[in-house]
Amino acid sequence: MALERVSSNKAFGGDLIKFKFKSESLGGLDANFNVYLPPEAKQTSVPVLIYLAGLTCTEDTGAQKGGFLRDASAEGIAIIFPDTSPRGAGIDGEDADWDFGTGAGFYLDATASKWSKYYNMYSHITAELPEVIKESGLPIDWSKKSIFGHSMGGHGALTIYLESLKTNSPFLSASAFAPISNPIKAPWGEKAFKGYLSGGLEEAKSKYDATEAITKAKGPLKILVDSGTSDNFYKQKQLLPENLIAAAKSAGHSEADVNIRIRDGYDHSYYFISTFAPEHIQYHAKILKA
Amino acid sequence: MALERVSSNKAFGGDLIKFKFKSESLGGLDANFNVYLPPEAKQTSVPVLIYLAGLTCTEDTGAQKGGFLRDASAEGIAIIFPDTSPRGAGIDGEDADWDFGTGAGFYLDATASKWSKYYNMYSHITAELPEVIKESGLPIDWSKKSIFGHSMGGHGALTIYLESLKTNSPFLSASAFAPISNPIKAPWGEKAFKGYLSGGLEEAKSKYDATEAITKAKGPLKILVDSGTSDNFYKQKQLLPENLIAAAKSAGHSEADVNIRIRDGYDHSYYFISTFAPEHIQYHAKILKA
């Protein structure tokens, strides 16, 4: 699983480096990711944030449009930007829709036989990427890791964080911009889960739904969410942040531990993300460097 | 010349709005531009920066990837993001090359008959856009205007600034990221000028070359430039910042007035631009709000 360096760009005194490697979890296909290393990484291992992008995006979207690097540099935090799905699996129907298949891996491990060889973004993100990055010797302190994401990637960040709390290698915090907060009750999630999972929504309920998971999670949690009122997908009830708020409250999590802010007038775009990017990076940095 | 509002995104408390209109200077074609209005613009007219993007870019590139909006919001400055050429003129050969024709208007007024109906980005930027924006009533104080850009857009910013000093409506400052500093001596510039201008390089020399223009400009100038040593186009001698430095020095402009920094390890990408974006916005803000 040797990493091949594809490109490198100096940014904010550090380096944004693109790698690719043959991914076992993605059926042997080439997988790309970007990693931002802040200036501190030249001297020492640094804490790390994983950023999960949304539908149709790639490993470049967050790096180019998120506005994350400036504060990551100032705080001395690395950021890993994975892709959003396998690429080129060649499965029939894979490229038919923008919200399923290519660009829409939903950060799960597929169990439906049609998809299960390639569509394993959950294992790719949680196990394979950390492993290959450790092997490569990049100066990252994996005992200090947090995760964040946008839309489908916000769903991924919240569910991966909550699931990790059951393990001996938990993420220390999670944040999300306009996450799909209750996907088993949203059209995007229903379509994805019925397609990728042999057990459909019932299988998803136990592992891939943040609103379900938060009711069972042991606190104190460290979750920050921003979601905008002018977000068309919010209006279409794809995001359902109210369900996550209600579930967190009924499970007894405090508003400080699960801090979900509904932002007036903001939409689903990277203009919205970049507006709150500094706060999200600083939120994680405070926890990661505590 | 009524403006049609195409879209609007809230960002950093202000609004990024896309407009289109029938552009006379671009032969009656639809022209798009984005404008960022900071929160202050809800109460009062604000100073304005025009951002000119580089080859292959559009009105969206700088808005999405430049990292400019955060400081524009904090400083209370509007930014106008024009496109880089007319679109869809239908001229034979217009789309054959990435460095000429569509996406490569070079911020000049074409005089070669093949191009002169449509390729008039100089007039579009300096006269038409301010006029239609004034007519629209957007809260911009045109007595406080500066200009900046990247690569081909850096060339545009510097030449438009220097030319404006001869008029009674000067830009107050100019800055550039990796500008094409002496295009009459660079392959990109030679190709563009020989194509667009009936008088070729000789015609370009008098109006569209920053290194030529700076020798004749009356100071004190207000110019800031950053250019990176790992920029492949710098290595290919497309940018020639040394020629601009030498010309400024021999013309007696101080290093404070024409501040050109060669940045170790930075390349031509928006990762480079976003790194120095805060300094550029703050540089202009100090002058615009003085």
Side-chain angles (χ1 to χ4, degrees):
Chain A
M1 291 196 292
L3 291 184
E4 180 184 336
R5 192 180 174 109
V6 176
S7 62
S8 182
N9 302 88
K10 191 168 178 181
F12 296 95
D15 298 287
L16 192 282
I17 311 170
K18 180 175 290 206
F19 291 102
K20 73 173 179 180
F21 69 103
K22 300 277 178 211
S23 165
E24 288 178 21
S25 59
L26 305 183
L29 296 172
D30 277 342
N32 290 338
F33 67 92
N34 284 301
V35 57
Y36 178 68
L37 294 175
E40 278 82 345
K42 284 160 192 151
Q43 274 87 48
T44 184
S45 289
V46 294
V48 63
L49 261 171
I50 296 176
Y51 176 77
L52 304 181
L55 290 164
T56 76
C57 292
T58 73
E59 72 278 6
D60 290 333
T61 319
Q64 293 178 344
K65 298 183 181 176
F68 303 132
L69 307 190
R70 181 173 172 181
D71 295 273
S73 171
E75 297 285 357
I77 308 280
I79 307 181
I80 293 167
F81 299 92
D83 203 349
T84 56
S85 77
R87 301 277 163 181
I91 300 169
D92 184 46
E94 181 181 43
D95 298 321
D97 295 341
W98 65 276
D99 57 1
F100 187 79
T102 301
F106 269 84
Y107 304 106
L108 51 72
D109 283 348
T111 50
S113 59
K114 183 177 176 183
W115 303 96
S116 62
K117 179 178 175 189
Y118 297 104
Y119 279 73
N120 299 301
M121 290 300 291
Y122 179 83
S123 291
H124 179 67
I125 302 294
T126 61
E128 186 178 45
L129 270 180
E131 195 56 40
V132 298
I133 292 171
K134 277 179 208 165
E135 281 177 17
S136 75
L138 284 176
I140 287 173
D141 177 359
W142 284 95
S143 73
K144 294 177 180 171
K145 62 178 182 181
S146 291
I147 190 162
F148 69 141
H150 171 231
S151 192
M152 175 183 76
H155 144 73
L158 295 174
T159 54
I160 286 172
Y161 165 72
L162 291 165
E163 188 71 14
S164 81
L165 299 180
K166 304 172 187 170
T167 73
N168 59 8
S169 179
F171 285 88
L172 302 186
S173 50
S175 77
F177 307 95
I180 308 173
S181 300
N182 193 185
I184 62 171
K185 298 199 173 159
W188 280 336
E190 288 183 25
K191 180 175 177 177
F193 297 146
K194 287 175 181 172
Y196 292 131
L197 302 176
S198 59
L201 293 182
E202 205 50 43
E203 185 179 347
K205 199 172 171 180
S206 65
K207 194 169 170 187
Y208 301 125
D209 187 283
T211 295
E212 290 290 327
I214 209 163
T215 62
K216 297 166 206 142
K218 282 192 190 156
L221 302 178
K222 293 291 175 193
I223 290 177
L224 176 68
V225 171
D226 283 298
S227 206
T229 60
S230 294
D231 183 328
N232 281 329
F233 301 119
Y234 171 69
K235 295 175 189 171
Q236 293 166 17
K237 303 198 182 299
Q238 294 280 16
L239 307 180
L240 303 170
E242 295 84 356
N243 294 8
L244 185 62
I245 292 170
K249 191 174 179 186
S250 79
H253 303 297
S254 75
E255 285 181 28
D257 289 354
V258 181
N259 187 5
I260 300 173
R261 292 103 56 107
I262 306 297
R263 298 293 194 173
D264 185 51
Y266 285 93
D267 59 31
H268 206 67
S269 71
Y270 271 82
Y271 296 116
F272 154 65
I273 295 174
S274 61
T275 298
F276 299 104
E279 275 186 77
H280 281 240
I281 301 290
Q282 289 156 22
Y283 171 80
H284 292 294
K286 196 170 173 186
I287 293 164
L288 289 166
K289 301 196 293 181
Chain B
M1 292 198 291
L3 290 183
E4 180 184 335
R5 193 178 173 110
V6 176
S7 62
S8 181
N9 302 87
K10 191 169 177 181
F12 296 95
D15 297 287
L16 191 283
I17 311 169
K18 179 176 291 204
F19 292 101
K20 74 173 179 181
F21 69 102
K22 300 277 178 212
S23 166
E24 289 179 20
S25 59
L26 305 182
L29 296 172
D30 276 343
N32 289 339
F33 67 93
N34 284 300
V35 58
Y36 178 68
L37 294 175
E40 277 84 344
K42 283 159 193 151
Q43 274 86 48
T44 184
S45 290
V46 294
V48 63
L49 260 170
I50 296 177
Y51 176 76
L52 303 182
L55 291 164
T56 76
C57 292
T58 72
E59 73 278 6
D60 290 334
T61 318
Q64 293 178 345
K65 299 184 182 176
F68 303 132
L69 306 190
R70 181 172 172 182
D71 295 274
S73 171
E75 298 285 357
I77 307 281
I79 307 182
I80 293 166
F81 299 91
D83 202 349
T84 56
S85 77
R87 303 274 162 184
I91 300 171
D92 183 46
E94 181 182 44
D95 297 322
D97 295 341
W98 65 275
D99 57 0
F100 187 78
T102 301
F106 269 85
Y107 303 106
L108 52 72
D109 283 348
T111 50
S113 59
K114 182 176 176 182
W115 304 96
S116 60
K117 179 178 176 188
Y118 297 104
Y119 279 71
N120 300 302
M121 289 300 290
Y122 179 83
S123 290
H124 180 66
I125 301 297
T126 60
E128 185 178 48
L129 270 179
E131 195 55 40
V132 297
I133 292 171
K134 275 179 210 167
E135 281 178 16
S136 75
L138 284 176
I140 288 173
D141 176 359
W142 284 96
S143 73
K144 294 177 179 172
K145 62 179 183 180
S146 291
I147 191 162
F148 69 142
H150 170 230
S151 193
M152 174 183 77
H155 143 73
L158 295 174
T159 53
I160 286 172
Y161 165 71
L162 291 166
E163 189 71 15
S164 82
L165 300 180
K166 304 173 187 170
T167 73
N168 59 8
S169 178
F171 286 89
L172 301 186
S173 51
S175 77
F177 307 95
I180 308 174
S181 301
N182 192 185
I184 61 171
K185 297 200 174 158
W188 278 337
E190 288 182 26
K191 181 174 176 178
F193 297 145
K194 287 175 181 171
Y196 292 129
L197 301 177
S198 58
L201 292 182
E202 204 53 41
E203 185 179 348
K205 199 172 171 180
S206 66
K207 193 169 170 189
Y208 300 125
D209 187 283
T211 296
E212 290 290 326
I214 210 165
T215 62
K216 296 167 206 142
K218 282 191 189 156
L221 302 179
K222 294 289 176 193
I223 290 177
L224 175 68
V225 172
D226 283 299
S227 205
T229 60
S230 295
D231 183 328
N232 282 328
F233 300 119
Y234 171 69
K235 294 176 189 170
Q236 292 166 17
K237 302 198 181 303
Q238 294 280 18
L239 308 180
L240 303 170
E242 296 83 356
N243 294 7
L244 185 62
I245 293 171
K249 192 174 176 184
S250 78
H253 302 298
S254 75
E255 284 181 28
D257 289 355
V258 181
N259 187 5
I260 301 174
R261 292 101 56 106
I262 306 299
R263 298 291 195 174
D264 186 51
Y266 285 92
D267 59 31
H268 205 68
S269 71
Y270 271 81
Y271 295 116
F272 153 66
I273 295 174
S274 61
T275 298
F276 299 104
E279 277 186 75
H280 282 240
I281 301 290
Q282 288 157 22
Y283 171 79
H284 292 294
K286 197 170 171 185
I287 294 164
L288 289 166
K289 301 196 293 181

